[in-house]
Amino acid sequence: DQQVKQNSPSLSVQEGRISILNCDYTNSMFDYFLWYKKYPAEGPTFLISISSIKDKNEDGRFTVFLNKSAKHLSLHIVPSQPGDSAVYFCAAYYNNNDMRFGAGTRLTVKP
Amino acid sequence: DAGVTQSPTHLIKTRGQQVTLRCSPKSGHDTVSWYQQALGQGPQFIFQYYEEEERQRGNFPDRFSGHQFPNYSSELNVNALLLGDSALYLCASSFWQGYQPQHFGDGTRLSIL
């Protein structure tokens, strides 16, 4: 049962432009959302998170937006850099610690 | 400050065998979670350990079992291996209290022949 969905398997952007990665969820009980980045042969690395009581959280070039009514969140990377090329996973907490992941979006940032 | 470490990095087994994977959490963390990641998919939650007890479990059969030791390290055991168990197995650690990001190891790549 796919409670967290990333419908775009891949995204390609030019260096310096904005990257927008999207994520939808179906379970209204989710109350904490995270983005992870994964390089080949490495484990996922925590990037940024947001609580359901907020609609925006920023950390440097990374901003996460949460739209609870639409059950949608997005990750904005500005400006995008070639080193940002990786697979990005959206995740959501259910029952505090039972984390559910999307299938991932492969971001390619072209120089 | 050591992060999450997993061993071995790669493992090849045959159907019907049993396997044990090991994980040492990030220093200070008391909770360990295990995930299975099949090719092209996101990690799937297997179970979570805190205070040496299984606290939550995902939709995995009883062939998957685990253990947490007093030093917070953990093992994942899989019995009667099936071809479909071939995957990357990820361990993540965190603090039990509050909403905290989980920190992942680099995983164990398990191949079943």
Side-chain angles (χ1 to χ4, degrees), chain A residues 31 36 43 93 95 97-98 102, chain B residues 45 48 56 99-100 102 105-106:
Chain A
D31 55 5
Y36 283 84
Y93 266 125
N95 274 348
N97 283 300
D98 182 5
Chain B
F45 175 73
Q48 180 187 70
Q56 300 216 33
Y99 286 85
Q100 302 284 343
Q102 295 184 4
D106 288 338

Side-chain angles (χ1 to χ4, degrees), chain B residues 6 18 22 27 36 42 49 64 66 73 77 82 86 88 90 105:
Chain B
Q6 292 186 243
Q18 177 264 345
R22 294 177 175 82
S27 178
Q36 180 194 67
Y49 278 84
F64 290 77
S73 67
N77 300 294
L82 303 174
S86 294
L88 178 68
L90 293 162

Side-chain angles (χ1 to χ4, degrees), chain B residues 42-109:
Chain B
Q44 300 291 315
F45 175 73
I46 302 175
F47 44 53
Q48 180 187 70
Y49 278 84
Y50 170 66
E51 289 189 333
E52 303 178 48
E53 289 187 14
E54 182 182 293
R55 299 291 177 159
Q56 300 216 33
R57 189 179 183 93
N59 189 25
F60 279 81
D62 291 344
R63 298 187 297 109
F64 290 77
S65 64
H67 190 76
Q68 186 181 33
F69 299 94
N71 67 353
Y72 307 118
S73 67
S74 177
E75 288 181 351
L76 164 66
N77 300 294
V78 187
N79 294 323
L81 286 166
L82 303 174
L83 292 178
D85 295 331
S86 294
L88 178 68
Y89 288 85
L90 293 162
C91 170
S93 72
S94 61
F95 296 107
W96 175 253
Q97 292 295 334
Y99 286 85
Q100 302 284 343
Q102 295 184 4
H103 295 256
F104 284 82
D106 288 338
T108 294
R109 172 71 61 187

Side-chain angles (χ1 to χ4, degrees), chain A residues 15-27:
Chain A
E15 180 180 5
R17 308 294 286 267
I18 184 172
S19 295
I20 300 177
L21 296 101
N22 293 302
C23 177
D24 297 295
Y25 61 96
T26 58
N27 193 333

Side-chain angles (χ1 to χ4, degrees), chain A:
Chain A
D1 133 17
Q2 193 74 10
Q3 298 188 27
V4 178
K5 297 180 182 179
Q6 294 175 256
N7 292 320
S8 298
S10 64
L11 173 68
S12 181
V13 300
Q14 208 65 36
E15 180 180 5
R17 308 294 286 267
I18 184 172
S19 295
I20 300 177
L21 296 101
N22 293 302
C23 177
D24 297 295
Y25 61 96
T26 58
N27 193 333
S28 58
M29 291 182 66
F30 287 142
D31 55 5
Y32 191 63
F33 304 88
L34 309 92
W35 285 94
Y36 283 84
K37 177 171 71 173
K38 188 178 186 301
Y39 293 118
E42 294 183 11
T45 302
F46 169 71
L47 206 52
I48 192 170
S49 62
I50 187 167
S51 163
S52 59
I53 63 173
K54 295 184 176 181
D55 54 18
K56 178 182 174 182
N57 188 28
E58 285 183 82
D59 184 1
R61 297 186 296 112
F62 303 91
T63 303
V64 56
F65 295 91
L66 176 62
N67 183 333
K68 284 185 296 182
S69 61
K71 294 189 177 66
H72 177 83
L73 67 158
S74 60
L75 174 68
H76 292 210
I77 306 174
V78 183
S80 301
Q81 301 173 353
D84 295 330
S85 297
V87 177
Y88 288 78
F89 291 100
C90 169
Y93 266 125
Y94 175 63
N95 274 348
N96 190 18
N97 283 300
D98 182 5
M99 194 156 62
R100 305 295 177 99
F101 283 82
T105 296
R106 180 175 301 279
L107 173 66
T108 303
V109 180
K110 299 178 179 178

